[in-house]
């Protein structure tokens, strides 16, 4: 699909507007509502629907590792500056740390105002300490976590779907291409671009199953935990969701003041991805599409490829808010009113434990257990009180985590000069701004029509991907010419 002029297109008559029920957003909405109803009225049946949600997420995970590798490598090659890649990484980590500290402090403020655990007066002798161990994996110390980013085997990193290890190797691989020279690596980059197009096409097929996955996941969650849980933990749930709404308001201010991004328009633009993430209670289920939407909205592929996967482990704003509010909830439930000094100590412990346990099953329970053990204010077994409410909090954590990482991508891209606001405006208006986004979103024909109109009006050809060159400027392998050259050289 290499377009140089409007003549390269065969522009068909405008197609009639598609019926509303063909919209992914509508289908996801219906699927989630149906899942809630099945889970509430037929919990036994709902318990059997979990494989639908798990299967969909597994399909997404199947392509995440190669997608991240190819996006980062080709993105770094397009930037052509190893130092710029280093700056993006450092700025992203600085932003993540500041955002996490602020989210933890913000959660403590909300927890002190709401007092969600006051008056419960829980008896520690009634708690089951073994309940937490069944829900959690093995925690790592700081050194173990950092060393765990370095893959022992590249193949193992891809096989285990360890995204931080894949990202680590991808950065080295992309930097090596820049140092060796793009001309020498042109054939390899061409192969990578072709493979990436295949990945995009597979992703567009997988997304057709998104409503089924959201239906199964939501039905299982409601059937397993019940709507009645809302009443039992009403004050804690209200505190967490109120904090999430207020924090999102702060993200609106950050996005507009630094990158001039109208976040409400961005949410409208990515409504399908957010609804799917809420329905499946997983940000991983939308990682490929949210990265595509960000590059389509003016962020370079290199910045998006580095910031988003890293943020999935280091920038969990929703989880940070939940941890700090839950800590105060537990302390208050056992009749303890934490002093300012104790809350500062808890803040430091939570900051360390939340980073070191990213990606570990039951990480929130582990972080709270470690904090309880360090402070000695309430029994570690008390964390079991949160088992009933934890899944209800998933929507809050997922929504804030996802939006926080999107804002981080806009901010870091703006700082690095790798954000095009004019492209963002086009994307928010419904345009497809580059060829790869069209493939990933399954809108190739629509993009061709838009591109033909742009070129006919005298516009420049759209790039192959966000922050990349025009399609005709990409290296490609001319096999016929190569064979002719080789045959002429053989005597």
């Amino acid at each position: 699909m290499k377009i140089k002029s409007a003549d390269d297109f065969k522009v068909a008559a405008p197609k009639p507007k598609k019926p509303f029920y063909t919209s992914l957003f509508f289908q996801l909405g219906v699927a989630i509502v149906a899942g809630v109803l099945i889970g509430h009225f037929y919990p036994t049946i709902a318990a059997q629907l979990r494989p639908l949600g798990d299967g969909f997420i597994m399909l997404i995970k199947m392509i995440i590792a190669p997608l991240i590798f190819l996006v980062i490598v080709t993105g770094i090659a397009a930037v052509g500056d190893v130092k710029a890649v280093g700056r993006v990484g450092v700025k992203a980590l600085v932003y993540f740390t500041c955002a996490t500290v602020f989210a933890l402090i913000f959660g403590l403020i909300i927890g002190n105002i709401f007092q969600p655990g006051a008056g419960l007066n829980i008896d520690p002798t009634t708690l089951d300490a073994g309940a937490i161990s069944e829900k959690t994996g093995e925690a790592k110390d700081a050194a173990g976590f950092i060393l765990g980013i370095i893959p022992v085997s590249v193949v193992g990193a891809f096989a285990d779907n360890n995204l931080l290890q894949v990202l680590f190797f991808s950065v080295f691989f992309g930097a090596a291409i820049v140092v060796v020279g793009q001309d020498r690596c042109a054939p390899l980059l061409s192969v990578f671009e072709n493979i990436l197009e295949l990945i995009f096409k597979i992703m567009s097929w997988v997304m057709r199953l998104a409503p089924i996955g959201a239906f199964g996941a939501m039905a299982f969650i409601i059937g397993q935990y019940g709507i009645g849980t809302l009443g039992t933990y009403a004050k804690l749930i209200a505190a967490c969701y109120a904090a999430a709404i207020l924090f999102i308001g702060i993200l609106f201010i950050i996005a507009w003041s630094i990158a001039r991004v109208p976040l409400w328009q961005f949410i409208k633009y990515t409504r399908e991805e957010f609804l799917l993430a809420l329905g499946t209670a997983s940000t991983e289920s939308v990682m490929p599409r949210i990265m595509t939407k960000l590059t389509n909205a003016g962020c370079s592929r290199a910045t998006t490829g580095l910031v988003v996967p890293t943020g999935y482990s280091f920038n969990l704003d929703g989880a940070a808010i939940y941890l700090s509010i839950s800590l105060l909830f537990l302390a208050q439930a056992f009749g303890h009113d934490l002093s300012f000094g104790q809350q500062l100590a808890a803040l430091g412990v939570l900051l360390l434990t939340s980073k070191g346990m990213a990606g570990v099953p039951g990480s929130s329970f582990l972080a709270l257990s470690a904090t309880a053990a360090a402070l000695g204010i309430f029994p570690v077994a008390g964390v079991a009180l949160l088992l009933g409410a934890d899944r209800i909090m998933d929507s809050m954590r997922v929504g804030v985590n996802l939006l926080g990482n999107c804002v981080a991508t806009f901010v870091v891209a703006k700082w690095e000069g790798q954000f095009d606001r004019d492209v963002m405006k086009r994307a928010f208006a419904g345009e497809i701004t580059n060829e790869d986004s069209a493939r990933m979103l399954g809108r190739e024909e629509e993009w061709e029509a838009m591109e033909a109109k742009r070129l006919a009006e005298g516009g420049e050809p759209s790039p192959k991907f966000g922050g990349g060159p025009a399609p005709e400027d990409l290296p490609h392998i001319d096999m016929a010419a190569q064979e002719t050259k080789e045959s002429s050289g053989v005597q």
Side-chain angles (χ1 to χ4, degrees):
M1 212 189 301
K2 296 184 178 180
I3 310 304
K4 296 183 180 180
S5 70
D7 296 334
D8 293 334
F9 292 103
K10 294 181 180 179
V11 183
K15 294 184 178 181
K17 189 174 181 180
K18 294 182 179 180
F20 70 92
Y21 53 81
T22 62
S23 163
L24 180 60
F25 181 75
F26 175 80
Q27 293 173 357
L28 286 170
V30 171
I32 290 173
V33 171
V36 171
L37 294 176
I38 293 293
H40 180 61
F41 293 106
Y42 305 99
T44 304
I45 296 176
Q48 308 302 317
L49 298 177
R50 182 175 185 176
L52 295 179
D54 290 349
F56 174 74
I57 294 175
M58 289 172 68
L59 285 172
I60 296 292
K61 288 183 175 181
M62 173 182 71
I63 62 174
I64 284 181
L67 176 68
I68 288 176
F69 172 75
L70 294 169
V71 164
I72 291 177
V73 170
T74 56
I76 291 175
V79 172
D81 184 354
V82 176
K83 292 182 179 179
V85 175
R87 287 197 306 269
V88 169
V90 171
K91 290 177 180 179
L93 290 176
V94 170
Y95 178 92
F96 293 161
T97 302
C98 293
T100 301
V101 171
F102 179 78
L104 287 169
I105 294 173
F106 189 77
L108 288 175
I109 293 172
I110 297 298
N112 280 292
I113 294 173
F114 271 76
Q115 297 284 313
L120 291 181
N121 299 319
I122 302 297
D123 181 4
T125 62
T126 63
L127 301 174
D128 178 13
I132 290 296
S133 60
E134 296 176 1
K135 294 285 185 178
T136 58
E138 183 179 352
K140 297 179 181 179
D141 56 19
F145 175 71
I146 294 173
L147 290 175
I149 298 175
I150 305 173
V152 176
S153 163
V154 174
V155 175
F158 281 88
D160 296 337
N161 220 33
N162 190 315
L163 300 188
L164 285 179
Q165 292 185 357
V166 171
L167 186 146
F168 184 86
F169 174 71
S170 303
V171 170
F172 273 90
F173 200 100
I177 288 178
V178 173
V179 173
V180 171
Q182 294 188 42
D183 292 338
R184 290 180 61 186
C185 298
L188 181 63
L189 289 174
S190 178
V191 171
F192 281 177
E193 286 291 346
N194 289 332
I195 296 175
L196 195 54
E197 288 186 10
L198 298 177
I199 295 290
F200 286 157
K201 178 56 67 176
I202 293 172
M203 187 64 212
S204 68
W205 291 340
V206 170
M207 284 306 299
R208 296 179 184 179
L209 302 175
I212 298 175
F215 167 72
M218 184 57 68
F220 171 76
I221 291 172
I222 299 299
Q224 184 78 9
Y225 298 96
I227 296 179
T229 305
L230 298 175
T232 308
Y233 298 91
K235 207 168 182 180
L236 174 61
I237 294 171
C240 288
Y241 277 87
I245 292 171
L246 293 173
F247 189 83
I248 288 173
I250 295 172
L251 290 178
F252 270 69
I253 297 172
I254 293 173
W256 178 253
S257 60
I258 297 178
R260 280 292 191 262
V261 175
L263 210 55
W264 175 250
Q265 291 186 35
F266 175 75
I267 292 174
K268 182 180 178 182
Y269 163 69
T270 54
R271 59 188 182 276
E272 294 172 348
E273 288 71 32
F274 275 90
L275 190 59
L276 177 59
L278 295 175
T280 58
S282 169
T283 52
E284 283 190 337
S285 65
V286 297
M287 181 191 282
R289 276 183 64 102
I290 207 70
M291 290 172 66
T292 301
K293 287 289 186 76
L294 285 166
T295 55
N296 190 60
C299 297
S300 73
R301 177 187 281 185
T303 301
T304 303
L306 286 169
V307 174
V308 173
T310 309
Y312 268 50
S313 291
F314 288 95
N315 189 41
L316 305 174
D317 299 334
I321 292 172
Y322 170 69
L323 286 174
S324 52
I325 294 178
S326 296
L327 178 70
L328 290 182
F329 166 79
L330 292 171
Q332 293 160 7
F334 288 102
H336 299 286
D337 188 12
L338 300 187
S339 66
F340 180 72
Q342 287 174 317
Q343 292 190 36
L344 280 181
L347 177 67
V349 176
L350 282 175
L351 180 61
L352 294 174
T353 54
S354 63
K355 296 298 184 187
M357 295 173 187
V360 179
S363 57
S364 59
F365 296 122
L366 281 173
L368 289 170
S369 298
T371 306
L375 299 177
I377 298 172
F378 56 85
V380 174
V383 179
L385 286 174
L386 296 171
L387 288 175
D390 189 67
R391 289 305 294 266
I392 303 298
M393 302 297 186
D394 276 344
S395 296
M396 181 278 290
R397 289 193 296 250
V398 164
V400 176
N401 288 347
L402 185 58
L403 189 60
N405 280 317
C406 292
V407 171
T409 305
F410 280 120
V411 169
V412 175
K414 176 65 176 178
W415 284 344
E416 271 300 298
Q418 295 186 28
F419 172 58
D420 190 329
R421 194 165 184 271
D422 291 332
V423 172
M424 177 202 73
K425 292 178 181 178
R426 289 172 50 201
F428 288 0
E431 288 189 44
I432 304 296
T433 63
N434 62 76
E435 183 179 335
D436 279 0
S437 292
R439 290 185 183 278
M440 180 67 160
L441 301 174
R443 298 171 61 183
E444 293 98 324
E445 293 183 5
E446 186 177 345
W447 177 79
E448 288 184 2
M450 290 180 181
E451 189 71 353
K453 183 178 179 181
R454 269 176 36 78
L455 294 174
E457 294 173 351
E460 293 294 323
S462 294
K464 178 70 166 58
F465 51 83
E472 66 270 13
D473 295 330
L474 283 172
H476 64 281
I477 306 172
D478 190 340
M479 297 302 295
Q482 185 73 17
E483 290 176 2
T484 301
K485 185 184 296 185
E486 290 177 356
S487 62
S488 62
V490 178
Q491 301 297 331

